Amino acid sequence: MPFFKELSAPVSSDRIIFHVDLDYFFAQCEEIRNPDIKGKPVIICVYSGRSENSGAVSTTNYEAREYGVKSGIPIRDAQTYLKDVESIFLPVDREYYEAISIRIMSTLKDFAIHFENTSIDEAYLDVGKIVNYNYQTSERYALHIKNKIKIIYNLTCSIGIGPNKIISKIASNYKKPNAITLIPPKKVIDFLNPLSITKLPGIGTKYKNKLKKIEVNQIQDLREVKIDTLQHMFGVKLGLYFYLASRGIHNEKVIDNKKFEQISRIITLKENTRDEKEIVNKINGLSLELYTRIQKEKIRYKSIGVIVFMDDLTIHTRSKTLDTYSDDFNNIFINSKELIKNLLNETSLKIRRLGIKIFNLEDLHGQKTLLDFINK
Ligand code: TTP
Ligand code: MG
Ligand code: MG
């Protein structure tokens, strides 16, 4: 079976980065608080207070977007566009959206080797190692993450998958809402070619107009421009960035947010198995690796998590939080063993890939707490 064969061999050492962006975030938060408003245009407003309806639209749900109502337009315009439509206008409640965001981000970070939360509704996840650098597996993994966020928080998101941050970011926005867009390395150029240059992070109206003067509108046009010209127009650093980005090249890493840090190890088994002795052996080895690392770095942990890929390609995760911080080997080993045993009790499938991790970390060098809070 070629599909399975491909799954078992790493196809490339390229990175695999997810960009997760929650759909119509502020408006969706309001919909989960009050499901009655669903289906009607929902407009979240920043009222300036100068008059009853002065101010700007923060965001809207997709029903409102059908009428041209979107982020940034004056509230008055939104009212005009929706004159005869039953619509819900609400003031921003940032504290409430932030509380939801923190919880979602702390769930998302569990799915990544490296995790970078970049705004209230966005994050990059470096997942290459978890999916064995396989793009087909990564798509299933993205679906798994989307389903988890929907089940736990009742919110939809869109995920872009690509070999670097730029491609995954453009991809997450490509087919919103509630979509996964997969751009493996060999599709990058075709994906970028027809897009407007404004899709590249960093190209706003100012640069767009500058580039328009030299007849550069699409990313494929940008690729035709010599690097010297770009550096002359935008400076050495930005010019180089545009030159590389138009070719889909971007090497910036996913930079871990300290508060979401974790340590993980993952392996593929030689053969799919349910054999207890063999599985315990592997858990022991992985636990030892984690233990060695925390001893060396003088770190304590409070939570232990496991991830298991079954032979039907389903992915399962479980975690446990201790009452107090620990630097003990047994707490890693016994708890991950227990979590995986519970998982196996719920199914007759065999395990093909297995990982364990510790998170909720505390730096024993004192002062610095790596993880201030995880509000699960
Ligand atoms: P976005 O992710 O840009 O937009 P969105 O989540 O509302 O819609 P979608 O991703 O489905 O296209 O922004 C996230 C939140 O940031 C958004 O819900 C509200 C806030 N925001 C503003 O307040 N003003 C703005 O101009 C924008 C773009 C966003
Ligand atoms: Mg969004
Ligand atoms: Mg966003």
Side-chain angles (χ1 to χ4, degrees), residues 16-18 107-116 124-133 141 145 254-257 260-267 290 293 307 309 353-359 361:
I16 299 186
I17 313 287
F18 286 1
T107 299
L108 282 176
K109 69 111 184 36
D110 288 354
F111 292 107
I113 296 283
H114 296 292
F115 177 80
E116 183 178 351
Y124 292 102
L125 283 70
D126 185 333
V127 302
K129 209 165 168 187
I130 296 174
V131 298
N132 219 5
Y133 300 97
Y141 193 49
I145 294 174
V254 174
I255 302 156
D256 287 302
N257 303 111
F260 293 117
E261 223 158 25
Q262 59 176 337
I263 304 172
S264 61
R265 288 286 178 276
I266 188 161
I267 46 159
L290 294 188
R293 169 96 184 264
I307 181 164
F309 291 63
R353 199 159 156 72
L354 166 70
I356 66 176
K357 67 174 175 188
I358 43 175
F359 54 108
L361 305 177

Side-chain angles (χ1 to χ4, degrees), residues 140-153:
R140 304 182 62 88
Y141 193 49
L143 187 61
H144 172 76
I145 294 174
K146 252 166 67 55
N147 289 341
K148 277 272 172 193
I149 299 301
K150 178 71 184 155
I151 290 164
I152 304 174
Y153 302 103

Side-chain angles (χ1 to χ4, degrees), residues 127-365:
V127 302
K129 209 165 168 187
I130 296 174
V131 298
N132 219 5
Y133 300 97
N134 185 294
Y135 274 87
Q136 271 174 324
T137 314
S138 78
E139 196 170 14
R140 304 182 62 88
Y141 193 49
L143 187 61
H144 172 76
I145 294 174
K146 252 166 67 55
N147 289 341
K148 277 272 172 193
I149 299 301
K150 178 71 184 155
I151 290 164
I152 304 174
Y153 302 103
N154 197 23
L155 284 171
T156 65
C157 62
S158 296
I159 302 183
I161 309 173
N164 61 52
K165 283 165 131 181
I166 289 186
I167 301 302
S168 65
K169 173 141 172 105
I170 301 173
S172 74
N173 194 38
Y174 189 68
K175 266 192 313 217
K176 266 179 164 287
N178 202 9
I180 293 172
T181 303
L182 169 70
I183 311 294
K186 59 176 184 287
K187 295 218 173 123
V188 163
I189 294 296
D190 285 345
F191 173 64
L192 290 178
N193 273 343
L195 299 179
S196 156
I197 46 169
T198 55
K199 295 286 176 193
L200 284 182
I203 301 196
T205 318
K206 197 171 113 195
Y207 294 152
K208 179 189 157 192
N209 292 337
K210 233 173 150 178
L211 284 162
K212 203 173 171 180
K213 284 194 187 131
I214 58 163
E215 284 170 28
V216 170
N217 299 301
Q218 292 171 318
I219 296 180
Q220 61 191 350
D221 308 330
L222 184 59
R223 200 176 316 117
E224 301 291 310
V225 186
K226 289 206 175 78
I227 185 159
D228 297 356
T229 312
L230 289 173
Q231 291 189 319
H232 182 70
M233 287 173 77
F234 302 104
V236 175
K237 227 171 141 184
L238 201 57
L240 177 64
Y241 164 74
F242 290 158
Y243 180 83
L244 294 174
S246 68
R247 287 160 175 75
I249 302 167
H250 186 69
N251 291 325
E252 193 182 287
K253 285 191 175 133
V254 174
I255 302 156
D256 287 302
N257 303 111
K258 282 288 181 205
K259 69 177 178 190
F260 293 117
E261 223 158 25
Q262 59 176 337
I263 304 172
S264 61
R265 288 286 178 276
I266 188 161
I267 46 159
T268 303
L269 303 175
K270 282 213 181 75
E271 275 175 30
N272 300 344
T273 185
R274 290 182 60 84
D275 182 81
E276 195 179 326
K277 207 168 141 204
E278 193 181 335
I279 292 167
V280 170
N281 226 331
K282 294 293 179 209
I283 298 172
N284 188 41
L286 292 169
S287 304
L288 203 56
E289 281 186 48
L290 294 188
Y291 178 62
T292 310
R293 169 96 184 264
I294 62 167
Q295 262 197 327
K296 208 166 92 195
E297 295 185 19
K298 301 210 180 329
I299 287 169
R300 298 199 300 172
Y301 59 90
K302 210 172 172 186
S303 303
I304 302 105
V306 297
I307 181 164
V308 174
F309 291 63
M310 295 297 187
D311 57 356
D312 69 343
L313 304 180
T314 52
I315 302 157
H316 305 262
T317 51
R318 292 278 190 286
S319 65
K320 177 176 175 172
T321 298
L322 308 171
D323 292 334
T324 53
Y325 285 99
S326 170
D327 56 4
D328 190 32
F329 167 79
N330 272 328
N331 264 333
I332 307 176
F333 176 55
I334 291 170
N335 283 304
S336 45
K337 200 168 69 175
E338 189 74 23
L339 290 167
I340 287 178
K341 202 172 124 197
N342 293 343
L343 268 171
L344 280 175
N345 283 340
E346 292 167 20
T347 169
S348 55
L349 297 166
K350 290 178 178 171
I351 297 181
R352 63 176 298 275
R353 199 159 156 72
L354 166 70
I356 66 176
K357 67 174 175 188
I358 43 175
F359 54 108
N360 250 329
L361 305 177
E362 184 191 57
D363 188 339
L364 278 190
H365 289 106

Side-chain angles (χ1 to χ4, degrees), residues 21-27 46 57-60 62 65 71-72 92 94 119-122 173 176-177:
D21 189 301
L22 296 154
D23 298 325
Y24 64 103
F25 183 49
F26 292 4
V46 184
V57 170
S58 161
T59 195
T60 72
Y62 280 75
R65 292 182 200 192
S71 297
V92 279
R94 213 177 160 94
S119 86
I120 193 161
D121 83 332
E122 289 174 39
N173 194 38
K176 266 179 164 287

